[in-house]
Amino acid sequence: MDYFAQQAINAIQLGSIYALIALGYSMVYGVLVMINFAHGDVFMVSSFFCFLLLLLLPVPFVAALIIVMLATAVLGVALERLAYRPLRNAPRVSAIITALGCGLIIQNTTLSLSPYSQRMPELFVPVTWNFGGVTVSSLQLLIIGVSVGLMIGLDFFIRRTRYGMAMRAIAQDRITVPLMGIPVNTMIALTFAIGAALGGAAGVLYASAYPVISATMGVLIGWKAFVAAVIGGIGSVRGAVLGAYVLGSVEVFTVTVLPSTYRDLVVYALLLVILIFKPYGLLGRPAVQKV
Amino acid sequence: MSDPMLRVDNLVVRYGDIRAVKGISFQVQQGEILALVGANGAGKTTTLRAISGMLPFEGSVVLEGRDLRGLTPDRILRLGLSHVPEGRGIFGGLTVMENLQLGAWIRRDKAGRARDLELVMDVFPRLRERVAQLAGTLSGGEQQMLALARARMSDARILILDEPSMGLAPKLVQEVFAVLRQLNKRGVTILLVEQNANMALRLAHRACLLETGNLVLEGPASELLVNPRVREAYLGAG
């Protein structure tokens, strides 16, 4: 039982990080029906932003989080403005290839600057508590708390504010939205900014929890987060969060019963099974075909 | 005659090599209802899309002295022209209230927005009962009402409407047109595109007849309504 509780906490921690990244995939898909395959590398590079920041200036955790989120948001907006917007009306495959290319550019630029893995300076000196055999560290609580806080904030933003309302409207009908006086390009840029900023938060939290970072780590973690978004129903914000916690739990608990080499096999098998029975994901809805 | 509210001069709109609108000119006066009638493919919808900034065009479109060339739809709305598109453009996954709030996106005056929301609820009583409902669950007639109400929320001085009667039962068409007459009485100028020439000509003050991208007739709506050419082609009378 203790063992189970311990693993549950680990699963929530991992799921929280996946969720922050998955939201970026899902939000961009929601407004543009495009998969931003560079997003995993945006997450990766945000860890390096954090690493560089701490080398230059040992700021406290909250300051690092905010600075990295802002820097990553700028990167997200730059990607949209320079790479994706010129292809807005191009065939969808062009945008997808471009996104993959942008991811490779980010990854290889990082790799050329930092060919080896880097050890993160400690952002945070964790305290650990023991509750009847279950060890919880303050770092775990921080990761979970920051993630859940950001997700609740995002949910509020999307459901209750006028900009959130405009984003939902764009997701439904991008042609009509300008007729409401809403500047579509600004709203799309805002979506990329928020998605990237959440990826940046994930980068900081990930680097705090698993403090060895490398230029290629965005590939696997990015794919996992993308799978989480698809499991939850891509385009759905709540779906991305649900999918991420499902995926995090499956990963953690697979390793408790099977050799760890089976982990990814189980994850992708789960994806296939879910897509067979729920082709639009757990909370996704089929796109409405316009007549 | 005073300066027109909207002046369209020698408007040409191309889709690739094809000229869908071939150099038409007309004016909409402040406070009037002008109907553009004509068959499918005559260029009516294309004309509206060019005016509201959804399509590039040649020639000139001037709203209250301002050249609209090169402006995006959101800028044109801020100048006081609202376009209710063909098929209504309702956001089905948002509530009726959210649709109305999006209609008022450009307005900063809280008091004015609240006042217009009340006004719109008076003009469209059925929307009041359904404010919390998803717009996609409304009937076709209610959706058309919502589209008009939403356009009214922008406080635009001129509405351009693309086929407000499309897909509606005759009784609902009557209701929609009654609402248009009421909005016009409250001072809103209307440019209306309709295939239902009969209804449109009974509502409008003046009308233009479009045929394959050309403007072939223009005059008081009551005259077009009895014009033999119009009657034969569009009103189903010999």
Side-chain angles (χ1 to χ4, degrees), chain A residues 21-97:
Chain A
I21 308 170
L23 283 167
Y25 283 108
S26 212
M27 289 176 74
V28 165
Y29 186 87
V31 299
L32 282 184
V33 199
M34 172 205 151
I35 294 161
N36 178 13
F37 278 120
H39 190 57
D41 294 299
V42 169
F43 152 77
M44 174 278 295
V45 91
S46 73
S47 292
F48 278 84
F49 287 165
C50 187
F51 173 73
L52 273 180
L53 175 68
L54 294 177
L55 275 191
L56 299 171
L57 197 70
V59 293
F61 176 82
V62 174
L65 181 69
I66 292 171
I67 293 169
V68 171
M69 283 177 76
L70 288 175
T72 316
V74 170
L75 176 65
V77 172
L79 269 181
E80 192 276 327
R81 186 71 192 83
L82 300 175
Y84 305 150
R85 193 180 300 180
L87 295 171
R88 187 83 55 81
N89 298 316
R92 203 162 295 166
V93 68
S94 311
I96 290 176
I97 301 291

Side-chain angles (χ1 to χ4, degrees), chain B:
Chain B
M1 208 190 268
S2 60
D3 272 353
M5 185 164 198
L6 181 72
R7 177 195 292 276
V8 175
D9 262 321
N10 220 355
L11 181 78
V12 176
V13 188
R14 297 171 198 274
Y15 292 112
D17 293 337
I18 298 158
R19 290 196 309 163
V21 174
K22 302 170 183 166
I24 65 171
S25 304
F26 63 90
Q27 288 147 25
V28 186
Q29 303 297 331
Q30 166 89 43
E32 80 169 339
I33 302 179
L34 178 76
L36 295 182
V37 294
N40 236 337
K44 306 184 301 288
T45 294
T46 305
T47 302
L48 293 194
R49 287 189 176 156
I51 292 173
S52 68
M54 294 173 82
L55 289 174
F57 60 85
E58 296 155 45
S60 88
V61 177
V62 177
L63 175 68
E64 295 176 322
R66 280 249 358 218
D67 192 344
L68 300 188
R69 170 180 297 282
L71 297 186
T72 49
D74 53 298
R75 298 281 310 282
I76 291 172
L77 178 65
R78 282 167 201 273
L79 296 174
L81 182 144
S82 176
H83 179 177
V84 179
E86 196 174 7
R88 304 163 195 133
I90 287 299
F91 302 111
L94 273 59
T95 65
V96 167
M97 182 54 89
E98 287 174 331
N99 270 276
L100 293 173
Q101 285 167 344
L102 283 175
W105 175 272
I106 58 171
R107 295 175 69 183
R108 291 293 177 182
D109 58 322
K110 258 196 161 156
R113 282 204 324 243
R115 196 179 54 237
D116 277 0
L117 192 60
E118 267 313 301
L119 183 148
V120 155
M121 295 294 181
D122 285 342
V123 178
F124 307 93
R126 259 188 293 173
L127 296 182
R128 191 191 290 277
E129 303 156 20
R130 292 175 172 36
V131 282
Q133 212 168 307
L134 289 185
T137 64
L138 299 182
S139 71
E142 289 164 348
Q143 289 191 11
Q144 184 60 55
M145 295 294 186
L146 177 57
L148 294 173
R150 189 177 65 179
R152 178 65 192 76
M153 286 301 293
S154 70
D155 204 22
R157 294 182 302 285
I158 176 164
L159 293 186
I160 67 177
L161 310 174
D162 199 346
E163 303 268 0
S165 75
M166 194 169 76
L168 298 186
K171 185 170 167 288
L172 288 170
V173 175
Q174 298 276 3
E175 272 182 47
V176 167
F177 277 71
V179 163
L180 293 181
R181 189 169 283 123
Q182 202 181 338
L183 287 175
N184 178 248
K185 284 221 174 81
R186 291 174 189 257
V188 180
T189 305
I190 293 174
L191 169 60
L192 170 75
V193 151
E194 261 300 340
Q195 277 197 70
N196 187 337
N198 192 13
M199 286 297 293
L201 293 176
R202 284 171 205 282
L203 173 76
H205 303 111
R206 288 190 311 120
C208 300
L209 176 64
L210 294 188
E211 274 175 7
T212 58
N214 294 300
L215 198 157
V216 293
L217 260 182
E218 181 179 359
S222 52
E223 279 177 27
L224 262 73
L225 199 54
V226 294
N227 182 298
R229 179 169 174 186
V230 177
R231 289 184 66 81
E232 191 171 343
Y234 304 103
L235 300 177

